[in-house]
Amino acid sequence: MNNEISKIISFLRFPTTVLVVILHAYTTTRGIINVENSVWYNHISYIFSLNFGEIGVPMFFFISGYLFFQKYSPSLHCYIEKNKRRIKTLLIPYIIWNTIFIFTYWILQNIDSINTYFSGANMAINDYKLVNYFRAYWDSSNWDKGNGVPILQPYWYIRNLIILCIISPIIAILIKYLKWITFIIPLLFWIFSLHLALIYSSLTFFILGAILAIHNTNIITLIRKWESIIYISFITLFIYVYVIHFYYPNNFELYIHRVTLVIGIPLFFCLAYRLKDKIQIKSLYSQSSFIIYTLHLPVMLALRKFEYKMINNQTELGNVILYIISIYITIWICIIIYKIINKYYNKFLVISTGR
């Protein structure tokens, strides 16, 4: 991996994390916002959360697949070394943070004055049996055809990534013999699935990154060659899916939307290539990205509930403002938490973030 690609991936770390926060600024208001009185909110949140925000996790899978298969060789030594590294960077943080949130939710759910901000559709910790504690690390007692998430919901990405790293030799063999078909098959399953299809999306984008790494594809050469087509394709599909979503609903919307997300990955690489030397992202933002990704959803959930409990009368402008504010405040709360942990509990930070 050349230095230029490394710079692009480093540049994308914080913006990609922000995309995930933007996505959840929308999903955390389901059942809270009065949709009929929020036309502008619906349009704005659809554009930023569902068309850009949803690119975040696929981007992470793509980058993870690309990095995992750098200097890959079909040997036991390579397999052990690469997965030994993932125990530190993935498995240990996964166990630590899910454990922390089991205890944190248990404490918060037993404080009468604030428990409504930390409870929802999932089973209360007080009602857990032994099996529920185990499943809290896997699917929170609801597998949901592969769409179940652990108690720390964004960590479904890390859970699936751990599994993909474990089965990496199988993926490498399939890529060797089937080449691009290895990517196309899960892609089609994901595009034409009517539900979230987290398993298919994980496979799709991890394999896409793996193929480019295994074949030593120069991503910069690729995006520069197809840059104009990438921009035109994304803008065209984006406008199309926006129009049919709001004005001409039909059964093809989901399929076109997911194709747009696929093109969104090279789009952001193109933007990063053009902007990485013009925009300086503070090291604090990049360094805190893991903590932002880890903590943003519970912070956002509590914040959004608090916003609408304090403001009883929803207005068009109010919903839009609260949407924007929630993104900004959530990110900064997480950054402040990162700074506190980094200053007073640095050893814990190193272990819990897999550094």
Side-chain angles (χ1 to χ4, degrees):
M1 182 170 63
N2 65 44
N3 189 50
E4 196 79 3
I5 297 173
S6 180
K7 284 182 179 179
I8 290 175
I9 291 175
S10 296
F11 179 87
L12 284 170
R13 184 182 303 146
F14 178 70
T16 305
T17 305
V18 172
L19 289 178
V20 180
V21 178
I22 292 172
L23 168 63
H24 290 140
Y26 167 79
T27 61
T28 51
T29 57
R30 289 173 181 169
I32 296 177
I33 291 181
N34 186 339
V35 178
E36 295 180 358
N37 297 331
S38 306
V39 177
W40 279 105
Y41 170 79
N42 287 337
H43 284 256
I44 291 171
S45 62
Y46 177 79
I47 291 170
F48 289 100
S49 290
L50 298 183
N51 280 283
F52 290 104
E54 278 196 43
I55 297 172
V57 174
M59 178 82 78
F60 278 132
F61 274 117
F62 170 77
I63 292 173
S64 298
Y66 184 77
L67 293 177
F68 185 90
F69 283 94
Q70 289 294 313
K71 298 182 179 178
Y72 178 84
S73 63
S75 65
L76 181 61
H77 174 75
C78 178
Y79 178 77
I80 291 173
E81 287 301 312
K82 283 187 174 287
N83 280 290
K84 188 188 296 183
R85 168 71 177 160
R86 268 64 187 183
I87 290 173
K88 177 184 176 183
T89 59
L90 297 176
L91 182 60
I92 292 175
Y94 184 84
I95 293 171
I96 288 174
W97 285 106
N98 275 297
T99 302
I100 287 172
F101 271 87
I102 289 173
F103 282 101
T104 302
Y105 278 132
W106 175 73
I107 293 169
L108 295 173
Q109 287 173 4
N110 282 282
I111 301 175
D112 293 336
S113 59
I114 60 171
N115 60 11
T116 56
Y117 299 112
F118 301 96
S119 60
N122 293 332
M123 183 187 297
I125 308 297
N126 280 338
D127 298 329
Y128 272 22
K129 297 178 180 178
L130 182 60
V131 68
N132 300 119
Y133 283 103
F134 284 107
R135 293 192 67 174
Y137 292 90
W138 183 255
D139 62 7
S140 296
S141 301
N142 181 22
W143 177 235
D144 190 26
K145 299 179 181 179
N147 298 311
V149 295
I151 192 164
L152 186 51
Q153 295 178 29
Y155 270 33
W156 73 264
Y157 155 71
I158 296 181
R159 178 199 64 197
N160 287 16
L161 184 55
I162 291 170
I163 296 169
L164 289 166
C165 292
I166 292 171
I167 65 170
S168 56
I170 299 172
I171 292 173
I173 291 170
L174 291 173
I175 290 172
K176 179 180 179 180
Y177 291 103
L178 298 179
K179 296 183 172 47
W180 282 96
I181 295 175
T182 316
F183 162 69
I184 293 170
I185 291 174
L187 172 67
L188 292 176
F189 272 104
W190 174 62
I191 288 175
F192 292 104
S193 294
L194 297 178
H195 53 87
L196 286 173
L198 299 184
I199 293 174
Y200 297 139
S201 65
S202 305
L203 278 167
T204 297
F205 296 103
F206 185 82
I207 289 172
L208 178 60
I211 290 174
L212 296 182
I214 288 173
H215 292 293
N216 294 314
T217 304
N218 189 314
I219 294 179
I220 294 174
T221 303
L222 200 63
I223 62 176
R224 290 186 67 182
K225 180 180 179 180
W226 297 98
E227 189 171 12
S228 298
I229 294 175
I230 290 168
Y231 287 132
I232 293 169
S233 299
F234 183 87
I235 292 170
T236 302
L237 291 174
F238 168 78
I239 293 172
Y240 177 78
V241 78
Y242 172 82
V243 170
I244 64 175
H245 178 80
F246 285 105
Y247 304 107
Y248 304 101
N250 61 56
N251 295 330
F252 295 101
E253 179 191 342
L254 178 62
Y255 312 140
I256 304 300
H257 170 66
R258 286 180 172 172
V259 172
T260 308
L261 299 181
V262 175
I263 300 174
I265 291 177
L267 172 78
F268 274 92
F269 267 83
C270 288
L271 293 172
Y273 173 73
R274 295 295 177 187
L275 298 175
K276 63 180 172 53
D277 296 322
K278 299 176 182 178
I279 298 176
Q280 198 71 30
I281 295 177
K282 291 183 179 180
S283 59
L284 171 64
Y285 299 158
S286 294
Q287 291 167 5
S288 60
S289 292
F290 190 99
I291 293 296
I292 295 172
Y293 184 84
T294 298
L295 302 181
H296 79 275
L297 184 57
V299 171
M300 178 72 77
L301 280 165
L303 180 61
R304 295 298 260 164
K305 287 182 180 180
F306 177 76
E307 285 177 342
Y308 284 97
K309 188 169 184 178
M310 295 298 293
I311 302 172
N312 294 322
N313 296 323
Q314 295 184 27
T315 64
E316 187 77 66
L317 180 61
N319 286 332
V320 173
I321 291 174
L322 291 177
Y323 170 75
I324 297 169
I325 287 175
S326 68
I327 296 167
Y328 182 81
I329 293 178
T330 296
I331 291 171
W332 271 105
I333 287 174
C334 294
I335 290 175
I336 291 168
I337 293 172
Y338 163 80
K339 292 176 74 174
I340 293 170
I341 298 174
N342 187 43
K343 183 175 181 179
Y344 297 104
Y345 309 100
N346 184 259
K347 288 185 178 179
F348 170 76
L349 182 70
V350 170
I351 295 170
S352 67
T353 58
R355 291 184 178 180

